[in-house]
Amino acid sequence: MEKKGTTRRDFIKATATGAAAVGIVSAGAFDPNSLEFGPQPVIAAEEPPKEAYREPVYEQIQITVNGTVRNLLVDTRESLAEVLRNHLHLLGTKVACDHSECGACTVLMDDTPVYSCSTLAVKANGHKIRTIEGISDGKIMHDLQQKFFDKDAYQCGFCTSGQIMAMLGFLKKYPNASEEDLKQSNAGNLCRCGAYPNIHKVALEAAKEKQK
Amino acid sequence: MAFVKTLVVVEGHEEFMVVEVPENEAPSWANKTDFDYVGKPTPRIDGVERITGKAMYTADVNLTGMLHGKIVRSPYPHAKVKGVDDSEALKVPGVIAVYHCKNTDPVAFEGDNFIFNPILRFVGDEVAVVIAKTERAARDGRELVKVDYEVLPFVVDTMDAVKPDAPKVQPKGNIVKGKPTVVTRGNLEAGFASADLIVEGTYSTPVVHHTCLETHGSVVSWDGDNVTVYDTTQSMYRVQAGFAQTFKIPSNQVNVICNYIGGGFGSKTGLGKYTAMAGLASKKLGRPVKILLDRDEEFLATGHRPSTIQKIKAGVKKDGTLAALSLEAYVPTGAYLGRFIDIGRPVRELYKCENVETKISGVYLNLMTHCAMRGPASSEGMVGIECMMDLIATKLDMDPVELRLKNYTDIGDQVKNLPYSSKGLQESLVYGAEKSDWKNKRNKKPGEGKANGNIVRGIGVGSLLWGAGGGPPSSAEVFVYPDGTLTVRSAVNDLGQGVRTLAAIIAAEELHIPIEKISVIANETEGSAYDMGSFGSRVTPSFGPAIRNAAYDAKMKIAKAAAALLDIPENEVQFEKGVFFKAGEKDNGVKLEKLLKTFNHPVVGSGFRGPNPPQYVLTSFGAQFVEVEVNTDTGEVKIVNLVASHDAGRVINPLLIESQLLGAVALGIGYGQYEEQFVDPATGIPVTVDFANYKIPTYADFPKVEPHFVKQVDPANNINAKGFAEPPCMPTAPAIANAVYNAIGVPITDLPVTPAKVLKALEVKRNK
């Protein structure tokens, strides 16, 4: 590939200070004048790197998100969480561990709670997804959210979207859950602020109302 | 304006500072009994955003042209960076730059700790940052950065590190300052000589992690000389100061923004290296840069509660009084010097004793430097002394609660020689004992309760003391608009403890404006009044009075207009339930709403936190009683009931303070039963770097908790409240250890109390 102008390598070399110390570094003086501004460096790769890097593979998927059909071109490595957050800008679903260990990313896929960080987007093809944004109409909160509000079943709020979606899914699947069963409703959702007792109070009340 | 010297105790650090005395100090609420907003359960005013997914955390910030950064970290606990080959990484499509110590000027971070240290001192130490168009590309690039390391000898075990031939973590040697820090009072030798019984015990506590759900990270964007820093932080102003210092620019060119933060617990109280890196990269590239840490990086490189080894020796009289107490402790600080090594406060202060010595050695290790974690240093210190008290109680055949009351310091703070402004420890112990049915549930001799099959039961107590009086600096501005609405503005972080709601409640009470008409802007440093930050249980007792003073200031300004309208001197104006009137003529008063309409501009009230009163010191106290069932076949410990009684002064919002208590207890349960960092001794690599291996309490683990607040009005500040973020997590772990001791008859002296340790203790007991 022919290239004109500055290559990335040249740009980096020009901004680098060759005399970086090895070992002891004396009082670092940060000199703003040593920084280069100017045009965006040329980005195109000169050649694909050898070992670990592999070209991405893209696939077309169709998912229904909060009632709206979406046609998306996704990287087959992308998780549902990445697609929701980066493609659809639905930022209410949080990624906290990216490892299916904490539940912050819980969304409903066909009414079942799933960890969106560990669900491949291509696997969601053809399915219905509901996120925290899709359970209220923007003005009035869902009943469950109102209970979270009234009973203070949250603190920092980062795990809260996942907690609510998990509880919704649980109550939908087990409408006749006993008090003992409800000790498990949010067992897959970590909360470091420790809002568990109040979350449990919400679950108990919501189940009771459903069972009336 | 008068300036005075005042003592401020935050996070266990005592500092004298010279501060102004506010001219507009609001009169104390000490004698006020009729409140309209304070003391009423109030849902969060920013709750809807948190519950509907609308709250934007730093992880959610997206700016035009934003790039992503991922950090390359040392795989070795101690190594020199000889070279960095970023050529392969730069070939990944989307990767724009790689920065490291070989291609950047050294940027000093803190003392001799640089952003990219050429000598790496722990697994996870920062080596390079890869900047790319997408997070994925940055991660791909990160995999391809090749670093030439010169591997150096390392040490990750505290007692190995203090040996003379141990590998040196820092060139000056592994003991901080070369020798232990000793604090003494009275005559230790004489004290021990006068004792009827000497009791000794060695206790150890593990490294535990904050595990904030929102990982650390920042987005930095330069606009000429001005820079905007989005950071998930507990203190916007501290990040501003740190960033300005690192980049050698004036503070007023740095705007730090934090709308919502997903957990801090002490790990986000200042500038992070990732923030400095994002600042460096965004300046060089002329585009905003976002760096967010991955979960394993959280466990490796964001600080932690340090582990401790505590040797306690107590000399007691037959009647239970303490004649002498000594603590010899080793606290590994990590690779660099942190600020929370002095775990001796509980030993020095909790129980009355004239002859006390604490001798604490800080130890350098090839691990990340520790930082504050909810109730730093004292939570660790509480474990040793509280477990020791139960051991003493057994040896004297005394009730552990009686023993604690026997050594009660109602004289006040015996270290500072000042009375406590209020002390609710006795009430907490008495209430807790009753509510938990202590007298009946306690095995008079540990381990000698009647077993029910393979289940034995026991009950234990833990208590606490903690500096929760806050102090300056903290300030706020209140804008009261002609339409009767009000805005509070200050750069203070609401971590989820309810700071914005606190501000609204206090302003509402002061001006009798309903909470629905109040908004609180606490998101950024630009144009905002100064607050030091949300940590150290300081917000309620520091920021609370500051808001009150600001609201009171606004009220006094409006009162001037009332005086003019009513044609009376200013000092005859009274205010009650939204009406200004002349004393005795309430029916001829003028409503606040009406008065405001006569202004064609907002009335601005400004207030700041004045000095702490010199005649006493505000300290928080409490006690927790934990009842457990221990399965002697599996070693599992189940908490059956937990009674938590605390003093918090005046409770401003009963709904949120209870959440704070329950949440803190969860953290304490983790410390007592589940959490522990494990480092592979052969490689120095921490292996507990995910939630599968580092177990924090879950929804299914939570026991029944009965919270209780001692009725108390503290005189030390004008809202009569104590800080409460940390105290409730401090007695839990020792209470659990004591409960298990009571159940099985063998003390567990090494946290966490895991099933394996319980089984081992039972085996030791059987073999005796």
Side-chain angles (χ1 to χ4, degrees):
Chain A
M1 216 189 305
E2 282 286 320
K3 240 165 318 322
K4 305 247 153 70
T6 325
T7 64
R8 188 192 306 109
R9 279 219 181 96
D10 294 339
F11 182 82
I12 298 291
K13 271 196 202 150
T15 53
T17 54
V22 173
I24 315 298
V25 198
S26 56
F30 185 82
D31 178 12
N33 296 320
S34 75
L35 299 170
E36 298 249 353
F37 280 75
Q40 190 58 55
V42 173
I43 295 165
E46 286 148 296
E47 63 192 347
K50 295 124 197 158
E51 318 121 354
Y53 182 73
R54 194 174 57 84
E55 287 287 328
V57 175
Y58 297 97
E59 207 170 287
Q60 190 80 31
I61 64 168
Q62 185 176 89
I63 52 176
T64 307
V65 181
N66 298 331
T68 307
V69 177
R70 302 280 188 173
N71 291 292
L72 303 162
L73 186 68
V74 303
D75 180 328
T76 50
R77 296 177 302 172
E78 279 186 287
S79 67
L80 178 58
E82 280 176 278
V83 167
L84 290 170
R85 287 179 59 83
N86 301 337
H87 291 241
L88 299 176
H89 296 288
L90 293 168
L91 298 170
T93 302
K94 310 296 183 198
V95 175
C97 77
D98 206 23
H99 233 80
S100 57
E101 285 167 358
C102 78
C105 65
T106 306
V107 299
L108 296 177
M109 184 149 85
D110 301 331
D111 292 336
T112 300
V114 296
Y115 288 161
S116 62
C117 75
S118 305
T119 305
L120 288 174
V122 291
K123 201 102 211 277
N125 184 28
H127 291 275
K128 292 191 174 71
I129 309 294
R130 196 155 289 271
T131 71
I132 191 76
E133 291 91 344
I135 64 169
S136 63
D137 69 357
K139 279 193 151 51
I140 300 175
M141 295 196 287
H142 187 283
D143 282 347
L144 203 63
Q145 286 171 307
Q146 187 63 49
K147 288 191 202 306
F148 266 73
F149 182 82
D150 296 332
K151 296 201 181 323
D152 205 46
Y154 62 104
Q155 293 183 34
C156 81
F158 203 72
C159 77
T160 307
S161 306
Q163 301 279 2
I164 293 172
M165 301 317 287
M167 193 183 290
L168 262 175
F170 184 91
L171 292 173
K172 179 125 195 178
K173 187 159 184 190
Y174 304 108
N176 296 311
S178 68
E179 215 174 288
E180 196 59 35
D181 293 333
L182 287 163
K183 283 190 186 155
Q184 300 294 324
S185 67
N186 287 61
N189 292 74
L190 295 178
C191 172
R192 192 46 154 171
C193 296
Y196 299 130
N198 289 347
I199 296 173
H200 187 56
K201 278 191 193 148
V202 171
L204 289 173
E205 195 181 277
K208 213 196 261 183
E209 278 176 17
K210 243 180 139 81
Q211 286 158 21
K212 270 206 196 117
Chain B
M1 207 175 288
F3 283 78
V4 298
K5 197 165 160 193
T6 191
L7 173 65
V8 178
V9 180
V10 171
E11 299 284 38
H13 289 283
E14 292 173 13
E15 195 187 329
F16 280 95
M17 41 174 98
V18 175
V19 294
E20 305 164 76
V21 179
E23 282 169 359
N24 61 353
E25 181 74 31
S28 173
W29 276 341
N31 297 318
K32 189 170 154 80
T33 48
D34 170 34
F35 288 91
D36 294 311
Y37 299 99
V38 168
K40 315 271 184 260
T42 308
R44 298 161 199 274
I45 64 170
D46 55 5
V48 174
E49 286 84 348
R50 294 180 199 267
I51 292 171
T52 55
K54 297 273 191 299
M56 291 291 103
Y57 299 78
T58 304
D60 303 320
V61 172
N62 283 303
L63 303 179
T64 312
M66 188 174 79
L67 299 170
H68 298 259
K70 285 293 170 191
I71 299 172
V72 177
R73 294 182 183 275
S74 173
Y76 298 106
H78 199 189
K80 218 183 258 193
V81 177
K82 282 166 65 191
V84 181
D85 177 6
D86 50 23
S87 56
E88 289 301 301
L90 287 167
K91 287 180 190 162
V92 172
V95 171
I96 293 185
V98 180
Y99 299 113
H100 45 80
C101 69
K102 301 293 182 198
N103 68 2
T104 54
D105 278 326
V107 179
F109 181 69
E110 224 169 55
D112 53 358
N113 189 358
F114 292 82
I115 294 178
F116 299 119
N117 287 314
I119 296 186
L120 307 165
R121 293 193 162 91
F122 58 94
V123 171
D125 205 342
E126 292 84 1
V127 180
V129 66
V130 177
I131 308 291
K133 285 174 97 176
T134 63
E135 214 180 328
R136 247 178 214 289
R139 283 208 177 101
D140 287 343
R142 176 169 62 181
E143 298 301 303
L144 297 173
V145 173
K146 290 190 190 51
V147 185
D148 185 13
Y149 297 105
E150 180 190 323
V151 180
L152 301 170
F154 69 91
V155 60
V156 290
D157 177 271
T158 309
M159 295 323 284
D160 282 345
V162 302
K163 292 183 183 143
D165 57 345
K168 284 209 183 121
V169 178
Q170 289 285 349
K172 285 201 185 133
N174 293 343
I175 305 260
V176 170
K177 299 198 172 91
K179 57 180 164 62
T181 302
V182 181
V183 179
T184 317
R185 71 167 177 265
N187 184 333
L188 204 69
E189 238 182 270
F192 280 123
S194 74
D196 296 318
L197 180 69
I198 307 276
V199 185
E200 291 183 76
T202 301
Y203 304 92
S204 64
T205 63
V207 165
V208 293
H209 296 284
H210 307 77
T211 71
C212 310
L213 266 273
E214 185 197 13
T215 64
H216 291 60
S218 310
V219 181
V220 181
S221 175
W222 294 82
D223 176 17
D225 288 333
N226 295 310
V227 61
T228 303
V229 178
Y230 295 85
D231 190 26
T232 167
T233 181
Q234 297 171 242
S235 174
M236 291 174 278
Y237 266 107
R238 272 200 176 173
V239 171
Q240 185 201 54
F243 194 95
Q245 191 180 358
T246 296
F247 290 93
K248 310 243 185 314
I249 56 177
S251 299
N252 64 4
Q253 283 174 8
V254 183
N255 184 20
V256 179
I257 300 179
C258 180
N259 287 291
Y260 292 88
I261 156 180
F265 311 107
S267 69
K268 297 175 178 174
T269 59
L271 186 76
K273 282 198 177 182
Y274 46 87
T275 317
M277 280 179 211
L280 180 75
S282 57
K283 188 135 224 255
K284 283 185 184 280
L285 296 170
R287 288 170 69 165
V289 170
K290 177 194 247 178
I291 299 181
L292 285 183
L293 267 53
D294 297 332
R295 181 51 58 181
D296 57 345
E297 295 177 278
E298 291 288 298
F299 286 103
L300 290 175
T302 59
H304 53 258
R305 190 192 292 290
S307 60
T308 68
I309 298 173
Q310 308 176 32
K311 297 180 187 166
I312 300 187
K313 183 172 163 189
V316 275
K317 301 265 203 211
K318 268 192 293 254
D319 68 353
T321 47
L322 289 165
L325 253 185
S326 78
L327 166 70
E328 187 192 332
Y330 295 87
V331 182
T333 174
Y336 295 90
L337 184 58
R339 301 175 63 236
F340 304 96
I341 300 172
D342 182 7
I343 64 165
R345 186 171 176 196
V347 163
R348 293 193 296 265
E349 203 183 313
L350 185 54
Y351 298 110
K352 185 160 145 193
C353 185
E354 282 169 15
N355 310 301
V356 177
E357 180 187 271
T358 60
K359 187 168 142 188
I360 299 169
S361 299
V363 183
Y364 288 109
L365 279 188
N366 287 112
L367 278 181
M368 169 70 181
T369 311
H370 77 283
C371 67
M373 179 170 169
R374 209 160 184 178
S378 281
S379 295
E380 296 90 298
M382 215 71 64
V383 174
I385 184 69
E386 286 297 274
C387 288
M388 169 54 72
M389 290 302 270
D390 272 38
L391 192 62
I392 294 171
T394 302
K395 300 224 188 269
L396 293 177
D397 200 18
M398 233 178 126
D399 177 323
V401 173
E402 292 305 318
L403 177 67
R404 285 166 169 80
L405 290 171
K406 188 90 190 162
N407 292 284
Y408 199 77
T409 59
D410 49 10
I411 52 170
D413 185 336
Q414 56 196 319
V415 175
K416 295 185 206 54
N417 286 314
L418 280 175
Y420 291 120
S421 53
S422 64
K423 182 174 182 180
L425 181 56
Q426 180 161 352
E427 288 105 309
S428 294
L429 283 164
V430 168
Y431 174 90
E434 225 212 86
K435 197 80 197 330
S436 63
D437 199 16
W438 169 260
K439 282 217 151 43
N440 295 322
K441 298 257 160 98
R442 184 175 84 90
N443 299 323
K444 304 299 180 276
K445 288 201 189 329
E448 290 183 22
K450 196 164 139 229
N452 182 6
N454 59 0
I455 302 287
V456 292
R457 281 188 155 209
I459 190 168
V461 65
S463 59
L464 85 114
L465 94 168
W466 180 246
S474 186
S475 55
E477 281 173 309
V478 160
F479 299 80
V480 192
Y481 294 93
D483 66 359
T485 60
L486 184 154
T487 298
V488 179
R489 193 179 175 110
S490 179
V492 61
N493 286 87
D494 191 329
L495 315 183
Q497 77 286 55
V499 174
R500 292 189 179 110
T501 312
L502 175 90
I505 291 172
I506 292 175
E509 190 69 55
E510 197 60 39
L511 284 158
H512 203 79
I513 288 180
I515 289 177
E516 305 81 67
K517 291 194 170 178
I518 297 180
S519 68
V520 178
I521 300 177
N523 312 336
E524 60 181 330
T525 53
E526 190 132 78
S528 296
Y530 182 92
D531 177 84
M532 188 160 77
S534 292
F535 43 77
S537 306
R538 66 174 295 279
V539 174
T540 297
S542 311
F543 186 56
I547 303 160
R548 248 209 94 194
N549 288 348
Y552 181 72
D553 187 48
K555 188 161 78 178
M556 291 298 108
K557 287 178 172 155
I558 302 167
K560 284 193 177 134
L565 212 69
L566 295 170
D567 200 20
I568 54 174
E570 276 170 38
N571 60 6
E572 282 180 34
V573 177
Q574 306 226 337
F575 180 78
E576 226 176 86
K577 303 244 187 264
V579 181
F580 289 93
F581 55 93
K582 179 177 174 172
E585 290 174 35
K586 201 160 172 197
D587 296 323
N588 290 337
V590 57
K591 279 189 167 168
L592 170 68
E593 291 141 12
K594 188 170 168 197
L595 261 174
L596 285 172
K597 290 194 171 71
T598 68
F599 287 82
N600 53 16
H601 58 82
V603 176
V604 184
S606 153
F608 60 90
R609 172 63 149 82
N612 283 327
Q615 69 269 39
Y616 32 55
V617 60
L618 193 159
T619 303
S620 168
F621 295 92
Q624 293 180 3
F625 289 75
V626 175
E627 190 189 335
V628 298
E629 272 180 4
V630 180
N631 184 319
T632 51
D633 287 340
T634 64
E636 281 173 281
V637 174
K638 182 172 158 206
I639 299 177
V640 171
N641 194 32
L642 194 155
V643 175
S645 177
H646 289 268
D647 72 1
R650 183 186 301 288
V651 171
I652 306 289
N653 188 345
L655 179 68
L656 266 52
I657 205 174
E658 193 177 291
S659 294
Q660 190 74 292
L661 188 152
L662 296 170
V665 164
L667 204 97
I669 289 174
Y671 194 35
Q673 288 192 263
Y674 304 112
E675 298 175 41
E676 179 175 23
Q677 180 198 55
F678 188 80
V679 178
D680 173 15
T683 58
I685 299 177
V687 298
T688 43
V689 293
D690 52 42
F691 285 121
N693 289 297
Y694 183 86
K695 300 185 190 304
I696 71 173
T698 73
Y699 177 86
D701 302 317
F702 205 81
K704 176 163 148 246
V705 176
E706 296 181 67
H708 171 257
F709 293 95
V710 170
K711 278 207 174 7
Q712 196 181 64
V713 169
D714 194 285
N717 56 61
N718 68 23
I719 59 170
N720 318 117
K722 297 186 177 184
F724 196 65
E726 293 157 303
C729 80
M730 298 170 83
T732 322
I736 293 171
N738 286 337
V740 173
Y741 172 32
N742 190 248
I744 66 174
V746 183
I748 309 274
T749 57
D750 173 31
L751 284 195
V753 180
T754 58
K757 287 176 189 160
V758 171
L759 290 176
K760 184 119 198 223
L762 287 168
E763 192 187 314
V764 166
K765 183 180 171 188
R766 272 195 298 272
N767 292 342
K768 273 222 178 97

